[in-house]
Amino acid sequence: MQLTSLAGVAALDFATIIDVRSPSEFAEDHIPGAINLPVMDDAERAEVGTIYKQVSPFDARKIGAAIVAANAAKHLRGPLADKEGGWRPLVYCWRGGQRSGSFATILKQIGWRVELVEGGYKAFRALVVEAGNAPMPCPVVVLDGNTGSAKTDILKAAKAQGAQVIDLEGLANHRGSLFGAMAGGQSSQKDFETRLAMEIAALDPSRPVLLEAESSKIGDLQLPKGIWAAIKDAPRIRVKAPLAERAAYLARAYADITADPERLLSVIDQLRPFQPAERIAAWQAQAVAGEYAALAGELMRDHYDPRYEKHRARHVDTERLIEADSLAPEAIVGLAERVISEATTLTPTA
């Protein structure tokens, strides 16, 4: 079958989607919902490739066929052993060629109604790249605010209230600053682009989507051109909260970092190129003493806020301001309601 759109990928109606590529290929990225039943593991694939180059294509195909048959047998005795006669799988490899074709032939001989993805993963990847470079399909409104303004939590609350939201930091598994690394680390660039593209494909074009203000990179992951252009050009809603509220919020939100003193000290140390040595020493002393709210406040006042203000001037004409007296958990729901209301007025044609 041919993949023509990401919306079509999301609507695929197969019992199982099987990626027969090697484990490392699958780990880097794959069609959403697929399982990995490799017909060659990474070492076997490298072996066949070496034989192809150094001996002959014929010998490589012969040895490759034996490897595929052996691995197919393992899958049939293992993960596929309980599949009934009506089971209908979709199979793909890198380009829809020999690996998936060989495996599909075996499945068809058993009697299963198997189909192949025309062009394989490469065809799916082309759809993802195209979606990442395209303009956003609906109006975009950006939620902005100085560090610690609870933007991520406000967006989560807005989504719970029915707003259309894409959580970029959630998809990137990173909070977007030097202190932003999260447990589990970040996925590959391709996997990030796939998950983001699938969310974009599911958007309602008639409604605005709320995004958090980001730079072009979130941690080590680069935003695709289309969504980055939208973030730069979109109208903004800026949350403005007192420094003390933002500091208290950060002390709660970054509890994973404060629970790891060595990590916290190491991250502060990375600010040495930007701050005087005595300031770094004072911040590290606060970290050791467990004065996390005070530390967060000084980091924002002396490091993050000045940098934010430098970049903010370009958006002043297109932003709406929301004053927040409190960023306590019970206040977030109300802030989300105000953000949704402002977003509606900023996109009157939506």
Side-chain angles (χ1 to χ4, degrees):
M1 69 167 299
Q2 186 176 17
L3 303 180
T4 58
S5 70
L6 293 179
V9 171
L12 286 172
D13 184 22
F14 288 87
T16 313
I17 302 174
I18 301 175
D19 184 325
V20 301
R21 297 176 302 155
S22 68
S24 65
E25 291 175 290
F26 180 83
E28 183 181 30
D29 188 34
H30 52 268
I31 294 177
I35 64 170
N36 188 211
L37 297 181
V39 294
M40 289 186 189
D41 63 26
D42 294 303
E44 291 164 341
R45 183 166 172 253
E47 176 191 357
V48 171
T50 299
I51 293 171
Y52 187 94
K53 293 178 180 178
Q54 297 182 1
V55 182
S56 74
F58 174 78
D59 286 277
R61 285 193 294 269
K62 183 169 61 174
I63 292 173
I67 292 172
V68 168
N71 284 321
K74 292 178 184 177
H75 299 324
L76 289 169
R77 293 192 181 99
L80 305 184
D82 63 345
K83 302 303 181 186
E84 302 291 340
W87 180 59
R88 182 169 168 257
L90 177 67
V91 178
Y92 72 92
C93 62
W94 167 242
R95 287 180 297 190
Q98 292 183 333
R99 285 185 286 176
S100 59
S102 299
F103 189 56
T105 296
I106 294 171
L107 299 185
K108 286 179 180 178
Q109 289 302 311
I110 293 170
W112 286 316
R113 296 174 298 153
V114 59
E115 290 191 43
L116 286 170
V117 174
E118 185 178 325
Y121 166 80
K122 188 176 180 181
F124 169 72
R125 174 64 184 164
L127 292 176
V128 170
V129 172
E130 180 183 9
N133 291 331
M136 289 290 285
C138 62
V140 172
V141 177
V142 170
L143 183 62
D144 206 347
N146 285 26
T147 301
S149 298
K151 298 183 292 294
T152 298
D153 283 354
I154 292 171
L155 286 180
K156 289 179 179 177
K159 186 173 184 177
Q161 295 175 34
Q164 195 160 235
V165 174
I166 293 181
D167 181 3
L168 294 172
E169 292 187 358
L171 290 172
N173 199 42
H174 197 283
R175 288 168 291 213
S177 72
L178 192 62
F179 293 83
M182 298 172 69
Q186 295 188 276
S187 67
S188 71
Q189 179 69 32
K190 288 182 178 179
D191 173 77
F192 171 64
E193 291 173 6
T194 287
R195 290 182 291 112
L196 177 55
M198 295 303 292
E199 291 214 12
I200 292 173
L203 293 173
D204 180 348
S206 68
R207 301 171 59 212
V209 60
L210 287 165
L211 304 175
E212 185 169 343
E214 303 287 351
S215 64
S216 61
K217 290 184 71 176
I218 306 176
D220 292 327
L221 299 177
Q222 187 81 35
L223 287 176
K225 293 179 181 178
I227 199 163
W228 173 232
I231 288 174
K232 290 190 295 182
D233 297 339
R236 297 190 168 217
I237 300 169
R238 180 164 70 97
V239 177
K240 185 178 181 182
L243 182 64
E245 281 295 313
R246 292 191 287 133
Y249 170 79
L250 284 182
R252 297 192 304 269
Y254 284 70
D256 58 318
I257 296 181
T258 58
D260 186 348
E262 289 188 9
R263 177 186 171 194
L264 178 57
L265 291 173
S266 175
V267 176
I268 294 172
D269 202 59
Q270 294 178 51
L271 295 173
R272 288 189 184 279
F274 314 103
Q275 298 292 337
E278 59 270 19
R279 185 171 285 164
I280 296 294
W283 287 344
Q284 291 185 325
Q286 287 176 318
V288 171
E291 299 170 355
Y292 302 128
L295 170 61
E298 291 192 19
L299 281 167
M300 288 185 290
R301 183 193 67 199
D302 298 326
H303 184 75
Y304 285 104
D305 284 2
R307 283 159 174 76
Y308 172 83
E309 295 300 335
K310 184 183 294 185
H311 295 287
R312 194 182 145 259
R314 73 188 70 171
H315 300 294
V316 170
D317 294 337
T318 59
E319 76 173 18
R320 300 284 179 85
L321 183 64
I322 290 180
E323 299 271 2
D325 296 329
S326 172
L327 296 176
E330 60 271 17
I332 297 296
V333 172
L335 290 172
E337 292 174 354
R338 293 167 65 186
V339 167
I340 293 171
S341 177
E342 291 288 356
T344 302
T345 65
L346 285 168
T347 55
T349 60

